[in-house]
Each structure stands twice: as structure tokens, then as C-alpha cells.
Amino acid sequence: MTNQWIKTFVSYAISTGLWDELDRVYLTNKVLYLIGLDDYEDDREIEGTLPVEMVEKLVEVAIDSGKIKSTAHEKDVLIGQLMDIVTPSPKEVNQQFNKNYETSPEKATDYLYELCKDNDYIKTQAIAKNIEFPYDSEYGTLNITINLSKPEKDPEEIKKAATMKTANYPKCMLCIENEGFSGRIGYPNRFNHRVIRFNLCDEPWAFQYSPYAYYNEHSIFFSAVHRPMSINKETFTRLVHVLDVFPHYFVGSNADLPIVGGSILSHDHYQGGRFHFPIESSPIETSYDILDFPNVSVGTVKWPMSVIRVTSDSKEDVIDAADYILKKWRDYSDLSLEIKAFSDDGTPHHTITPIARRKNGNYEMDLVLRDNNVSDKYPDGIFHPHPEYHHIKKENIGLIEVMGLAILPPRLKEEMEDVKKFLLNQEHSMVDYHKEWAGKIKSTQDITEKNVDEKIEEAIGEVFLHVLEDAGVYKRTQEGQDGFKRFMSTL
């Protein structure tokens, strides 16, 4: 059936409009080279197949022919090369995006999103493997995800990567130079990657989708210049201007300090998309008047972390108010609550995770207070997941989790199967670090075959809630909320 798969893929490439029937021989020979064959006979096409299925079959042929080895890296490179054939050039993608944008921003992003799914840049099949479930809390319904989409690293490739010469091109995985990059072991290829260029506050910026999307239309907006992330007035300005370009998306930034920051602090970027996060539905608990900003509504949000919501029909007022609050927070300390703005050597510890959206004609920005101090008791971070929850979540709490979407490690899928067996008094190999937690579930819940999965999900959701509370600067206690009011009074 090899000839059938080749013809089917070539016919699909022609059907995209990127190629003509006159290109059939050329494309066939290109595919033959990529999969390591030098013989071909015309055959019938295979009906009803998706591009991803075609490419998967061609990758199998390439492995059988000896063209590539069956490693994650080599398979991924070949997938990228084949999908590049059915992907318009960067120039064509940008032209079509801009043409669609003339009709509406939604039509433009719909075009790019569908393209990135069709050409397998967005790994829809891998993303579908993720385990997702809700958790109802006093703050609303939180979203829990066990992330299974990213492929595990091949041990042999890890060894090989350790002996390779260090390369500095591209400087990081967010740089615009990744577009079309061939990749290397330990660094993904981007043959089928396409980036939209746009102007943001008189600077060159770019827009793309995340290949392993954590939510619908998971977008990344990044500077065309490789420079470190920072949270300042320019950040707030860019965020609201992103909303002007993409009014149907939210946009936010990770914090700019280690521990409370995101995974990539070396490149200035924001994340956005078309998704309703739990934090957006959370109500204002206490409203405040900031005298210098009469056109701005300000209030603290009912949320496990410490959130100040700023709303106005004037984006300039939102920007100025957010900047005012950030500057106050950067210098504010409350040692009775272990909140300390600077180390004795002057190292800063306070920043903000901002989230912006358009709502009812207004600009709305949530400012989540962050503190990255450590202590002898909490060497990983005072306002970081505490050790009793590390068996479920040890990683930093970034922008996505701040908003109520848990991204939990893939190890939990197998580990929860053993927890399940433990709860049902079956033979198991449960790891020790789940023992206390699982024992508590067993002693406090009536576990049956029918409800065991639901009980485990509830327990995981409860841990994530506690993790967010740990990351909150002002705790949801009387003492903590009194402290929050003391800070708000300084505004």
C-alpha cells in the first residue's frame, strides 16, 4: 500500500491549492526522497484519510526503508518536513491572515488556527490524550489537566545530546528564528511552523499558537527581539494593545521573577487565547476608591490567590492604575505575614502576574500579587506549593494555573492507577510519596468500584486548590485578609 499512501498524500498537497497537477511528478519524487524509496508505481488513492494519518504511514515506510531511525527526534523531523509540503510559505500565511483580518480578527485567527491543526503544528492527537476533569470549589469550578501531550524524551537521544556541541541558534524556543528551523536532538524542528508578524506599540512583535495547547486557541505573543521578560508599565500598555488587535482573546503575562515566574524568562512574551478561565467568573469581594483614578473601578477578587481587578472604559486609565499598583507592591512589606519586598542586599521579591481582557465594552485587568521569597521552612518558596502537596504538584504556579487551570505532570496517570488499587484493597505498587494522602482518602471516604475514580479526581482537585492558596500572598484567613486590606489602604 506504500504507493497508495504516497499518491494520497501528493493528491492532498495539490488539493490545498499550494501546488498544481503539473507539480505531481515533482512532489512524488520529493516524498520518495524523504521516505527513502527509489521505486514507485502509480496506484489508486485511499479515501477518507486525514493528513496526519497519511504522514504517519509515510513515517512508518521511512523507518522500514532505513531512511530514519525509530527515535522521537527523527520521526518528528520527518513529520515536519512532510507537513511543510502542505503548508503555505510564511509570506503567503501572513498575506492570507491579513486579508481575513480585513473581514474580522476572528476570521483571521480561525484561518491560522485551522491551518496549524491541519499541518500538525498543533498536536491535536497528542493533546486529546490529556486527562481533564472539573473540581467544584468555593471559588467556582477549577479545571484540572494531567498533561500527557508532550512526548517523553528518548534516553538514547538524551545521551547523544549530552555529547553534542552547544548551539546558540535560535537563542530560545520563542525566537522568531524558529520559523522553519530544522531542529536538533533535544530541540524540536519547526519546518511547518508559521508566525504572524504585527506591530505592537511601534515595535515588531509576532503571534503564533502553542503546539501543545493547554486550552482553546492557546496563543503566544512575543517580541521579535530576544530580550528578557519584564513587568512594568510597558507590559500593561502592550497587553491592552494586544486586546485592540485581538479583542476576542484574553492576554496575560507570567511574572518576571524566578520561582513565581514562567518557564521562559529569557524572552519577552505573553500568552492568550479564546478560553474562559475560572478566575474571570470570580466576583469582586471588596471595592476600593483610588483617589487618583476616579474613572477606574478597583476591587479585590474572591480567589485563592491575591487578585486586584482594575476596570475602565479607558485603556490609558487601566494602564496607569495598574502601573501605580505595581509600584506600590514592589516596595511594600508586611513582615508579620513574611511579606518582604527586598532582601537585605537589595534583591527585589515582588512582582505581578497580569491578565487582561475586554468585557462589556471595558478593559479589565487582573493583577495577581506575587512574592518569591524563600525561608528555612520553605526553601522552594514561601508562596509556592508547599511540600505536603509536591506529590501532586511541585512545579511553579504560572499564568495558566493562576487563572484556575491545573497543568499536572504525566506521571500521575500511572501513579493514580496504583492509588486506585490501594483504595480498593487490591495489590498495588503505589509510590511512598502518595501514601499519607491516599491513606487519608481511604479513611475519610466510602470508596467503591463505582465512585473510586470520582473520589481520586476530587482529591486531586482539592490539592490544586491548596496549591493556589499556598501561592497566594495574602491567605484566605482573617489575618491574611486583614493584611490584604492594609496593603489596599496604601493605594
Side-chain angles (χ1 to χ4, degrees), residues 50-70:
L50 297 172
V52 174
E53 294 176 275
M54 303 174 202
V55 168
E56 285 177 349
K57 293 296 182 182
L58 295 176
V59 169
E60 290 176 10
V61 173
I63 294 170
D64 291 341
S65 74
K67 179 70 172 182
I68 66 170
K69 295 178 182 178
S70 185

Side-chain angles (χ1 to χ4, degrees), residues 282-298:
S282 297
I284 296 293
E285 276 190 313
T286 306
S287 296
Y288 293 87
D289 292 322
I290 302 182
L291 299 182
D292 290 340
F293 301 98
N295 192 39
V296 178
S297 298
V298 178

Side-chain angles (χ1 to χ4, degrees), residues 5-15 19 23-25 27-29 31 54:
W5 284 113
I6 293 171
K7 183 169 184 178
T8 303
F9 179 74
V10 169
S11 294
Y12 171 73
I14 292 171
S15 75
W19 305 92
D23 300 311
R24 182 175 290 278
V25 172
L27 289 172
T28 300
N29 287 328
V31 173
M54 303 174 202

Side-chain angles (χ1 to χ4, degrees), residues 83-122:
M83 285 300 188
D84 188 39
I85 293 172
V86 297
T87 305
S89 70
K91 175 185 175 181
E92 291 171 311
V93 170
N94 275 265
Q95 286 179 338
Q96 187 60 47
F97 183 92
N98 291 332
K99 182 179 179 180
N100 287 327
Y101 192 92
E102 291 175 1
T103 301
S104 72
E106 291 93 335
K107 186 175 181 181
T109 55
D110 286 348
Y111 158 73
L112 184 65
Y113 191 59
E114 291 305 315
L115 173 68
C116 291
K117 288 191 295 182
D118 288 345
N119 78 350
D120 199 45
Y121 176 74
I122 297 176

Side-chain angles (χ1 to χ4, degrees), residues 109-161:
T109 55
D110 286 348
Y111 158 73
L112 184 65
Y113 191 59
E114 291 305 315
L115 173 68
C116 291
K117 288 191 295 182
D118 288 345
N119 78 350
D120 199 45
Y121 176 74
I122 297 176
K123 305 294 183 182
T124 52
Q125 288 188 324
I127 294 166
K129 298 176 184 177
N130 291 343
I131 297 171
E132 301 176 359
F133 54 90
Y135 173 70
D136 293 329
S137 76
E138 62 180 295
Y139 307 99
T141 301
L142 304 179
N143 305 129
I144 313 298
T145 300
I146 298 177
N147 181 33
L148 304 173
S149 59
K150 286 190 177 180
E152 294 187 16
K153 295 182 179 179
D154 187 307
E156 291 302 314
E157 291 183 352
I158 293 173
K159 291 179 186 177
K160 189 173 180 180

